[in-house]
Amino acid sequence: MNNPVRPADPDAIREAAGLLRAGALVAFPTETVYGLGACALDIRAVGRIFAAKGRPPDNPLIIHVSCLDDITPEVASVPEVAKQLAARWWPGPLTLVMPRGPRVPDIVTAGLATVAVRVPAHPVALELLRAVGAPVAAPSANRSGRPSPTQAQHVADDLGDRVAMILDGGATQVGIESTVLDVTSDRPMILRRGSVTLADLESCLGVGAVDSVNIHKDREAARRSPGLRHRHYAPTASVTLCQPKTAEALASEALRRGEIVAVLIRGEVGQTTLCLPERLDKERTNRVLMPHAAIDYARELFGCLRALDRLGAGALFIEEVPRDGLGGPIMDRLERAAEGSGQPR
Ligand code: TXA
Ligand code: MG
């Protein structure tokens, strides 16, 4: 089988744009995670995204465009707050949910009256979008339920036999998916937390201007954001979230049961890289040191979960991180990973 991974040079990007225009699937890097792209106006091509990922059809897709002006044909109107936020964060890791324009196919929005749009801040993604000259629908390029891919190889591992090309633009910078903000009502509502935090949004719109409900427990958020209903971020290993300093004690029981066990602990202040053993010891609890600062932790998290699967880990014990700033979005993902883990796929 041909290897679909190609370094994202100008020739490959041009070729990828042609493939997208012809209805094929192309994975590409963004600043958050890799996306699995298809031409958003081509119903059959978008259908291939759902088939390749095994994605439930009620979970809508984000449309990617290269600049603010390009959203005009896809939305019914651009709310004033959307203009303000786009001026501040686009290109960037903020997805805006707006009233849907008439030409956006139902399959993209899962039949909702809204459409999610963003301009990614990655030179390869932007060059690709400009070369395609049409909006590109792209979920994270993982099999449904798995951790999102932060490297081209992760995409190849999950979807290598199902895509026409994977543009390799190196490891992604942010490491977790974009913030999803619904701007269709008077009070914008965060539907998925990401690296653009509540405090960031409030610094732009004013303190108290954004809904910061508990997005996992709030019914209204769940109704508006179908993505919250589905399993996500789960490695093959089972995941248990632990209070700080308790992971090793909890892990010892799994070790006695004969499982291959790893604990994920934050390193000391100043540790910016992931410290992962080359192989896992069956006889003891393997320590994985995560970067200390949330910004570095977020960048390494999904790759770490995938690496531990590859090393054969059976049970992961992950220490909670402080929930301030980017810690909140990280904890959302860890909680989802713990919920969905250890279940048959
Ligand atoms: O960073 C990202 O957002 C990445 C990169 C590739 O852009 N994309 C991504 O897509 O994470 P996906 O499909 O894995 O997650 C999209 C999220 C889901 O939770 C989905 O339910 C929500 O956005 N969403 C999409 N359209 C929506 C809509 N019209 N209303 C509410 N939520 C929507
Ligand atoms: Mg996803």
Side-chain angles (χ1 to χ4, degrees), residues 33 53 55 59 139-149 177 192 232-233:
V33 300
K53 279 180 64 93
R55 183 178 178 102
N59 196 2
S140 51
N142 50 280
R143 293 271 180 120
S144 209
R146 301 265 305 148
S148 295
E177 309 82 354
R192 178 176 71 187
H232 216 328
Y233 313 124

